[in-house]
Each structure stands twice: as structure tokens, then as C-alpha cells.
Amino acid sequence: MVEWTDKERAAISDIFSKLDYDEVGQKCLSRCLIVYPWTQRYFGAFGNLYNAEAIMNNPLIAKHGTTVLRGLERALNNMDDIKNTYAELSVLHSEKLHVDPDNFKLLSDCLTIVIAAKMGTTFTPEYQASFQKFLSVVVSALGKQYH
Amino acid sequence: MQTCAVRPSRHSTFTHSTSATGYNMLTKHEKELIAKIWDKMIPVASDIGAECLLRMMTTFPGTKTYFAHLDIRPGSPHLRSHGKKIVLAIAECSKDISSMMVTLAPLQTLHAYKLRIDPCNFKLLCHCILVTLAAHMGDEFDPVAHAAMDKYLSAFAAVLAEKYR
């Protein structure tokens, strides 16, 4: 089981409390598709992803970004058992969506950077470390049911 | 917590064979954007460099093993002077990205034969550089700037590792 210090829990909660899921979700997912264009392979049905501007204005991408953030909120609310909380999501990503689990890390890096841009230097090194620990547990849980 | 995998990352855009031409992946506009961003960092190189290093060592504690000979507490003069060296090297190289192989030759030798930092760590520092830039530039560090900068730093890291073996 993952051990969380009080400081880590506080940092992660504080970060989430500052997030507008619609705004951050859209920014994070669109950034991932722009910075790592091969991730667009999973979004063939999402319409126009032709260039950065199209991606940033795509309403289906924005909506999906919100879905991703809501999924992360579930992990936040179950920090002591993220693995089991995400069991079904892991099966979904593996068996239905066929997402290469390496891509989870790319999206989590983009989310970290979007949050850094939003919070500025209040996103301290300690906050970054706590948040990235949270994201690495999430990423690991999402990859757990792959076989 | 991120550790260096034994296998090379499947998401390294640059391998030994392509790093020599890695900078060709940047458009003229991207090169100008990168040079402009780093130019702004030169006057605050110590601050920015120290922050990048501190973020890396806090988020990825394994990287501290390379700094056993320095005082790496927040605000330490060692951290600031070492951070400054790194930022200035990256900034200098960004002024003429096409000449990267020549500009970085001495640093290649240093890293390969003297420092021998496992190259998987370059990615960790590059990520923390991106986070630092985002924290200081806010919305100005938009996806296009992020993509360009990620490509540049990946190329820089790949060139740095060229002489390892």
C-alpha cells in the first residue's frame, strides 16, 4: 500500500482545490496531443485534430479532458486504495481502448506542466514532488490490469 | 516514483543514430521561439537553474546521488552556481541550434568521461526545466512553445550522451 505523509495529502488536496476541471482538463489533454502528436492515434473519432489551433478549439477534446480530471478526482478521494479504485478503468483502457500504458505518463507530465503554469511558483518543488508521486501511483494503477 | 528503467524509453524521440540531425526536427519559427525564451532566462540564470535542480532532486531523489559533493539545500550558493552553469549552456546553445554538435563537443566529453551521469537522468532534468519555465511563464508557455522546447531539450540531452559509448 502507498504511504502518504500528511504534508503530501495536504499538498495534493490543495492543488485539486485550485483546479477548474473543465479548464485544466481541456488544457492538459490538448497539450498532450500537441506535444506528443502520436497520442492522437487514440482520438480518431474526435474530429479535427489537424493542427494545434484545431486541437485547442476542439469541443470533444475539451469534454474528454473534463472526464479525465473527474477520473483523477476519484483517485484523490480514494488515496489509500487507488489500485482497486482504478481496476475497472484499467481494464477499460487495456481491453477496450487499447492505450499503450506508456502514454499515461505523457499525459501526467502535461498535467504537471499545466498546473505549474497555472499556479506559478506556488507550485513549489515540494508540491511538485507530492503531485508527481500521486500521478505515478495513478499511472501504475491504470496499467495494473494489462496482460 | 520515477526511476530509470533498464530498457531505453520508448518515448525518447532521439536515438544515437538520429541525434546528430535531431535539431532538424525544429522549424525556423520554433528555433526563434526557443532562443527568445532562453535569452530571457540569462539574467536570472542562477535563480532558474537552482530551481530546476531543486525540483529535480525533490521529485526524483535518486538524482541527489550525483551531488554528494555539494551543498544542495534550497538557496545554497552551490545550487545557484551549478544551476547557472547549466542554464547558460542551454541558453548559449539555443542561439545557434544548428551548430549544436560543435558547441556541445566539450560538454559531451565532460559528461562521458568525467561526470558519467546516467543519461536517463537528463530526461528528469529536462522535465523539471519545462515545469520551471511553465511556473515562470504561465500561459505564455503554451503548447506550441512547450512542444518546441521539449524537442530542443531532448536533442540537447541526446547530443550530450553521444560520446558515452
Side-chain angles (χ1 to χ4, degrees), chain A residues 67-122:
Chain A
T67 305
V68 169
L69 263 285
R70 296 224 172 279
L72 284 173
E73 190 186 46
R74 282 178 57 200
L76 172 73
N77 294 333
N78 293 280
M79 271 175 66
D80 291 315
D81 196 12
I82 293 176
K83 190 171 93 176
N84 284 321
T85 306
Y86 269 28
E88 274 179 38
L89 269 176
S90 179
V91 170
L92 172 76
H93 283 77
S94 153
E95 316 237 312
K96 184 158 179 257
L97 306 176
H98 306 293
V99 178
D100 179 343
D102 278 2
N103 289 295
F104 302 144
K105 184 162 182 311
L106 301 182
L107 184 61
S108 87
D109 283 350
C110 285
L111 178 59
T112 304
I113 285 164
V114 164
I115 288 172
K118 194 174 166 58
M119 291 178 66
T121 45
T122 64

Side-chain angles (χ1 to χ4, degrees), chain B residues 17-159:
Chain B
S17 59
T18 60
S19 64
T21 54
Y23 58 80
N24 285 333
M25 296 191 189
L26 293 166
T27 64
K28 183 163 171 280
H29 170 71
E30 284 175 323
K31 287 182 195 176
E32 284 166 2
L33 190 54
I34 291 160
K36 194 168 131 203
I37 290 171
W38 285 108
D39 196 52
K40 285 200 224 162
M41 299 298 148
I42 291 171
V44 285
S46 306
D47 295 323
I48 296 292
E51 187 179 327
C52 294
L53 285 172
L54 196 55
R55 286 186 183 281
M56 180 186 71
M57 290 188 282
T58 313
T59 307
F60 309 110
T63 56
K64 287 194 283 193
T65 56
Y66 292 100
F67 297 92
H69 60 296
L70 296 181
D71 172 8
I72 52 171
R73 288 168 301 177
S76 99
H78 286 171
L79 208 56
R80 289 175 63 76
S81 95
H82 198 75
K84 183 177 176 184
K85 265 190 244 180
I86 294 173
V87 166
L88 290 182
I90 296 173
E92 193 55 40
C93 189
S94 77
K95 292 179 185 169
D96 187 4
I97 293 175
S98 309
S99 303
M100 197 187 277
M101 291 295 290
V102 173
T103 315
L104 291 183
L107 281 175
Q108 282 179 320
T109 307
L110 178 72
H111 283 76
Y113 300 117
K114 185 155 181 263
L115 301 177
R116 288 177 294 188
I117 295 167
D118 192 320
C120 71
N121 294 292
F122 298 154
K123 267 208 303 245
L124 306 183
L125 181 58
C126 286
H127 170 69
C128 291
I129 291 171
L130 295 174
V131 172
T132 303
L133 290 176
H136 286 266
M137 292 173 64
D139 283 340
E140 210 192 316
F141 194 62
D142 64 16
V144 172
H146 175 172
M149 193 57 75
D150 192 31
K151 286 196 278 182
Y152 169 60
L153 292 176
S154 302
F156 193 101
V159 169

